[in-house]
Amino acid sequence: TEETIYVFVGVLSAMWNMDDNFVTEVSHSTFDGRDITVLLSLQIPKSADEFTHVPVCILDITDRKRAEIALWVAKEEAERANRAKSEFLAHMSHELRTPLNSIIGFSDMMTEAVFGALNNPKYDEYSGDINMSARHLLSVINDILDISKVEAGEIELEENDIDIGEVIDVSLRLVQVRADAKRQSISLDIPGDFPQLRADGRLVRQVLLNLLSNAVKFTPDDGDVKVNADLDDQGCVVLRVADTGVGIAPQDISRALEPFGQIRKSSEHAHEGTGLGLSLSNRLVELHGGTLSIDSEVGSGTTVTVRFPATRTVR
């Protein structure tokens, strides 16, 4: 167009002393008041004699630039909304934890009959239900708070040389009661001279507890849960939690690693929880530079493998 040629002539003088191909975007207001963006690509002439032989490509990219700007604006809005969501969840989690701790504390006193018996079996039953429900709700809120902190980048590693055997043992004790109630067998396989791991002990324990809780939850009565720790050929600490539970279909594994990504195909497979356990564990492992992978088959169980980088193995 006449306007594009006008723009081209305007920039050509500035290019005269360059000795290479030149590509640039030029914004320009046309004679009829439209704002356009053109892409100019040309080979700079070596001398004035070559001016009549300048290869030029002129392309109107106005629509493309508008699409790029719209995409950038949408991305900024999405990131702003995600930050607002994380801040809201963190704030609400803190607000809810305070009254919940009071409910748990008072219901503990009631179930333990600190000031005497309630003199009614139903009251004992109800106070126990209140305590159990409040503890479950607190664990849900803690998961939401933790995932919000991870997304906001507010979790910093407090690294120490930790004994993996001790961390696993503590995690096993915390799920043993639930496993016993379902007559499940939990076994541990770890070498006696296993090296220590340079990591945040609290977060590694949380990862193991999440994985073990899921294994116990999704494994039917009389099932098996196995925990294994070893070193691979690269010297990486590898932890595995395997169960004989309901399993996950291959196409659903990626969804299971997403926040709130519960997989429920029928009422018999519906379990309580936020769906944050695997996602949170994955993010905590990634904070250590490690990886979390899932190998599963519907009806045959699930194996979750956590691999830490070899640089974290303390020899």
Side-chain angles (χ1 to χ4, degrees):
T1 64
E2 183 180 355
E3 291 88 352
T4 302
I5 295 174
Y6 175 80
V7 172
F8 167 66
V9 172
V11 300
L12 185 58
S13 58
M15 306 298 104
W16 187 263
N17 294 324
M18 299 183 66
D19 57 359
D20 203 350
N21 293 340
F22 179 77
V23 179
T24 187
E25 295 178 4
V26 179
S27 297
H28 177 64
S29 296
T30 64
F31 293 144
D32 59 0
R34 292 181 300 113
D35 292 327
I36 65 171
T37 302
V38 295
L39 181 69
L40 296 179
S41 176
L42 57 118
Q43 184 174 354
I44 306 303
K46 299 294 189 295
S47 66
D49 295 337
E50 300 178 14
F51 184 77
T52 57
H53 304 286
V54 180
V56 179
C57 177
I58 303 175
L59 180 65
D60 187 344
I61 59 171
T62 304
D63 291 341
R64 189 181 78 186
K65 292 300 294 184
R66 288 173 180 168
E68 289 177 356
I69 293 173
L71 182 61
W72 180 84
V73 171
K75 177 176 176 293
E76 288 293 309
E77 288 295 329
E79 291 179 349
R80 187 180 299 111
N82 187 59
R83 288 193 298 270
K85 177 210 68 177
S86 296
E87 291 173 1
F88 172 78
L89 288 175
H91 175 72
M92 289 304 299
S93 297
H94 281 298
E95 290 294 317
L96 291 170
R97 288 172 74 178
T98 299
L100 268 177
N101 284 324
S102 297
I103 294 172
I104 291 172
F106 287 130
S107 59
D108 276 339
M109 296 173 65
M110 294 169 66
T111 55
E112 295 172 7
V114 173
F115 298 109
L118 296 176
N119 296 322
N120 191 310
K122 276 296 180 183
Y123 288 160
D124 290 332
E125 179 184 345
Y126 293 159
S127 61
D129 290 341
I130 291 171
N131 188 272
M132 181 177 62
S133 298
R135 289 184 182 277
H136 171 69
L137 185 55
L138 183 60
S139 69
V140 169
I141 291 172
N142 285 336
D143 281 348
I144 295 174
L145 182 59
D146 285 337
I147 200 69
S148 299
K149 286 182 177 180
V150 171
E151 290 182 349
E154 295 178 356
I155 291 186
E156 295 183 1
L157 298 181
E158 297 181 5
E159 300 182 8
N160 293 287
D161 295 345
I162 62 174
D163 187 322
I164 286 294
E166 291 182 1
V167 174
I168 296 176
D169 187 57
V170 170
S171 303
L172 287 175
R173 288 203 301 270
L174 292 174
V175 300
Q176 191 65 56
V177 173
R178 279 175 285 174
D180 290 342
K182 300 176 72 173
R183 301 182 303 280
Q184 294 173 347
S185 170
I186 300 183
S187 60
L188 170 61
D189 181 14
I190 181 173
D193 57 347
F194 200 73
Q196 291 186 317
L197 179 70
R198 185 70 178 176
D200 187 316
R202 182 183 69 85
L203 299 185
V204 173
R205 184 167 59 253
Q206 185 171 0
V207 169
L208 281 168
L209 184 58
N210 287 342
L211 299 184
L212 285 167
S213 296
N214 276 349
V216 171
K217 180 192 299 183
F218 293 104
T219 298
D221 293 356
D222 302 310
D224 297 319
V225 176
K226 297 180 180 180
V227 184
N228 169 264
D230 59 18
L231 292 178
D232 65 9
D233 295 338
Q234 287 75 42
C236 301
V237 171
V238 181
L239 307 178
R240 294 183 182 87
V241 177
D243 62 59
T244 57
V246 296
I248 306 172
Q251 65 271 20
D252 291 331
I253 289 179
S254 59
R255 182 182 173 190
L257 291 171
E258 296 174 357
F260 307 100
Q262 291 181 327
I263 302 169
R264 296 182 176 180
K265 293 186 178 296
S266 67
S267 59
E268 66 178 358
H269 288 168
H271 296 270
E272 292 183 344
T274 59
L276 287 173
L278 280 175
S279 173
L280 180 58
S281 297
N282 186 41
R283 299 293 292 274
L284 295 180
V285 171
E286 288 177 345
L287 283 177
H288 288 83
T291 60
L292 183 149
S293 60
I294 301 175
D295 181 22
S296 185
E297 183 178 345
V298 175
S300 298
T302 300
T303 299
V304 181
T305 302
V306 173
R307 178 175 280 99
F308 293 95
T311 53
R312 292 192 170 275
T313 303
V314 181
R315 297 182 179 278

